[in-house]
Amino acid sequence: MMDQAYDNGLVPVEQFARRGAQASHGVLCKVLFCDMMRALHEMAGIPSVDLGNCYDAVAHPIASIALQAFQVPLTTIVLSLSVLQTMTFFLRTGYGVSTCGYGGTRYDPTFGLGQGNGMAPSEFSAGWKWINGVPQLRTLQQLPKYSLTIPQKIGSPAAIPLRDVGDAEETLGVWSCPKGDFGVHIEKKMEKGHLWVERLRHNKCPAADGWLGFRYSLIPIKSPTRLYRDVLSPLRVNGNITKFYRMAPKRVMGLGMPNPGIKMLAYKLHLLQTEWTQPTSAGQMLQHLADIVLCDGRTLDPWVLTTEGSDSTRVFSVEKPTRSDFATFRRAVTYLTLPTDRLQSPLGAYVNKLHRRDDWFISEDQNLLFRSMSDSSYIQYTRNDSVRNTRFALSFSNPTAMSGQFPRSTRASVQLLHGDSDVRVHSVARSFCPPTHRLSFLERIRAQPKRHL
């Protein structure tokens, strides 16, 4: 059934309770969502839902409707749900399997889908305010007073509390908040680490067992390094040794304690290796680039220094800049191209599709210029040889409306003269062509200059 749902695209990529997904990716996407919300200065809301015992609380009539939406035959649905309703369950523990079972009957069925079955809230709200052009997150008192409730089977509806953006909630083992403060997560890790150290201190276990617990109990919770000094005494080690000897490998007479910072860097690099350019939620949220130069890869696009609106297909942050903000942006961009309004080193070939509208193209022999008007119409210009043309400035005129398609293999940066009748080409570049072989993260790194870095 789930194979059929995957094959028909019925399971969205942002659904992490699916085959091949990891809980860490769900936490990552939540953190990235909050980062993008703060970067784009957009209104947002996040439900914090803890579905405790959710597998045992599923009503079979609703489950049947959901399965039918997945195009599962009705006979299969009746068979699978009836088995769960009348199945007898036996508990298995470390002491053995129980001899008495429990379960439902045809007249008193047992609902739920079973824990681990493959077919099987508080709420944050974020708003923004601008003070002298600077965006700031609204506090809980400054947010609109929404009233959200959940109907209950018995009694009055239960209210969903609205939380402040600085309140941290645990999601799959990670404490985070929309404000982006992970201080609570570090405190929780420290509390868990101190609890482990205190238990080790009050137990009379051999040092070898203590080191075994350190490797497989304390290190996996990723406690900060300052906790490692407190664990030295219970491990029968002089607590006054320096950090260098605590972290140094055993082959140079060190203790070989791990460095959490280096381990986290390794985890992040591994995440980039596995998710970058992949068609997953995490892979799609990791990519965000922009371009501000013309086709020659060096000359600054004059449009960047204006206050005109953009025709970009990307979603940029909501801003309310002042005149001084525009002046600061112009100075920052100008510093990149000093002293000739050009980059010191030209950029290479395009590595991705442009986010701005791509209208101007030129033929391979550079005798025809095309301006895209829609998917099926364009304007064609012919090269004007009556004026002096150079390889840095080609003139085109005689616009003619055409229908159909035209070659788009070469882009062009142009300057309009006398309205739209005359056009001067500034520079050209090959259009982006998706590679037939998807490069891995390491292949992309090795393809860059200065490989020794």
Side-chain angles (χ1 to χ4, degrees):
M1 180 198 69
M2 294 307 300
D3 291 338
Q4 185 177 1
Y6 290 131
D7 295 339
N8 294 324
L10 299 177
V11 182
V13 294
E14 62 271 15
Q15 172 59 260
F16 297 99
R18 56 181 293 169
R19 180 179 58 199
Q22 300 181 20
S24 59
H25 293 172
V27 177
L28 172 65
C29 286
K30 178 183 177 181
V31 174
L32 290 176
F33 173 81
C34 294
D35 293 342
M36 294 172 65
M37 176 269 296
R38 295 194 306 273
L40 299 177
H41 306 146
E42 290 187 344
M43 300 284 289
I46 304 175
S48 180
V49 183
D50 183 10
L51 301 179
N53 300 323
C54 57
Y55 281 97
D56 299 329
V58 175
H60 283 187
I62 305 301
S64 175
I65 295 175
L67 294 174
Q68 293 178 53
F70 278 148
Q71 302 177 3
V72 179
L74 188 59
T75 304
T76 305
I77 298 175
V78 173
L79 176 62
S80 59
L81 295 182
S82 61
V83 169
L84 291 171
Q85 293 172 3
T86 58
M87 182 184 297
T88 301
F89 298 89
F90 293 87
L91 295 179
R92 173 180 292 177
T93 66
Y95 298 97
V97 181
S98 61
T99 57
C100 299
Y102 71 96
T105 63
R106 179 180 178 184
Y107 302 101
D108 185 18
T110 300
F111 279 5
L113 295 180
Q115 186 68 29
N117 193 340
M119 67 178 183
S122 62
E123 182 181 3
F124 293 96
S125 180
W128 296 88
K129 61 180 180 180
W130 273 261
I131 300 178
N132 297 326
V134 179
Q136 295 182 3
L137 280 168
R138 295 180 181 271
T139 61
L140 181 60
Q141 292 75 18
Q142 297 170 337
L143 290 172
K145 304 302 180 183
Y146 295 114
S147 178
L148 301 177
T149 59
I150 301 176
Q152 299 296 305
K153 198 173 190 180
I154 301 176
S156 59
I160 301 178
L162 188 63
R163 305 293 299 274
D164 189 80
V165 292
D167 294 341
E169 287 282 346
E170 185 180 15
T171 302
L172 300 176
V174 177
W175 291 82
S176 62
C177 64
K179 196 175 181 179
D181 184 8
F182 286 89
V184 175
H185 181 73
I186 300 299
E187 293 177 359
K188 295 294 183 180
K189 292 296 183 181
M190 288 294 295
E191 292 177 3
K192 188 178 294 186
H194 281 302
L195 178 61
W196 187 90
V197 172
E198 288 301 320
R199 289 177 175 175
L200 178 64
R201 192 187 305 275
H202 292 87
N203 285 323
K204 303 300 182 180
C205 64
D209 293 342
W211 278 104
L212 184 66
F214 172 78
R215 298 292 179 187
Y216 295 99
S217 296
L218 187 62
I219 292 179
I221 66 176
K222 302 177 180 63
S223 299
T225 54
R226 60 179 180 269
L227 190 64
Y228 290 170
R229 182 170 182 173
D230 299 336
V231 79
L232 293 179
S233 178
L235 293 177
R236 315 296 193 271
V237 178
N238 185 357
N240 296 321
I241 63 175
T242 62
K243 181 179 179 180
F244 172 80
Y245 289 102
R246 294 200 303 266
M247 302 296 178
K250 293 182 179 180
R251 61 176 178 270
V252 293
M253 306 301 294
L255 295 179
M257 289 185 168
N259 190 321
I262 296 179
K263 290 182 69 68
M264 290 304 300
L265 176 61
Y267 290 146
K268 293 175 181 179
L269 292 177
H270 176 70
L271 175 67
L272 290 175
Q273 288 178 325
T274 56
E275 293 296 323
W276 189 262
T277 71
Q278 297 300 315
T280 60
S281 294
Q284 294 172 7
M285 298 178 75
L286 286 172
Q287 303 181 54
H288 193 76
L289 303 175
D291 54 349
I292 59 173
V293 295
L294 300 179
C295 285
D296 61 351
R298 298 189 66 177
T299 307
L300 186 67
D301 191 341
W303 168 83
V304 176
L305 301 178
T306 67
T307 58
E308 299 177 3
S310 171
D311 56 357
S312 174
T313 58
R314 290 180 178 169
V315 178
F316 289 90
S317 62
V318 178
E319 302 285 354
K320 296 182 180 180
T322 61
R323 292 183 178 179
S324 60
D325 294 333
F326 279 113
T328 302
F329 175 77
R330 293 191 188 98
R331 288 196 302 269
V333 173
T334 304
Y335 287 154
L336 297 176
T337 57
L338 288 176
T340 59
D341 292 335
R342 303 178 69 189
L343 298 178
Q344 297 298 323
S345 301
L347 302 179
Y350 289 106
V351 297
N352 209 337
K353 185 178 180 180
L354 295 179
H355 66 91
R356 294 174 59 189
R357 183 174 175 179
D358 213 4
D359 289 340
W360 295 93
F361 298 87
I362 195 171
S363 61
E364 294 288 344
D365 56 8
Q366 298 188 353
N367 289 327
L368 297 176
L369 183 68
F370 310 99
R371 182 180 186 181
S372 175
M373 305 304 295
S374 66
D375 293 337
S376 60
S377 63
Y378 62 94
I379 297 178
Q380 177 177 292
Y381 294 79
T382 57
R383 185 167 174 173
N384 188 0
D385 293 327
S386 61
V387 297
R388 183 173 180 270
N389 290 304
T390 66
R391 62 190 180 98
F392 300 107
L394 301 176
S395 298
F396 291 82
S397 58
N398 301 325
T400 304
M402 308 286 286
S403 61
Q405 300 296 324
F406 60 90
R408 299 173 181 259
S409 59
T410 306
R411 296 185 63 253
S413 296
V414 303
Q415 178 184 4
L416 298 179
L417 305 173
H418 309 103
D420 295 340
S421 59
D422 295 322
V423 180
R424 177 175 296 171
V425 175
H426 174 272
S427 54
V428 299
R430 301 291 296 183
S431 301
F432 169 72
C433 181
T436 56
H437 168 65
R438 185 182 294 274
L439 298 179
S440 65
F441 178 79
L442 290 179
E443 290 174 337
R444 289 181 181 273
I445 294 296
R446 295 186 180 117
Q448 301 300 319
K450 300 181 181 179
R451 293 180 53 186
H452 63 281
L453 298 178

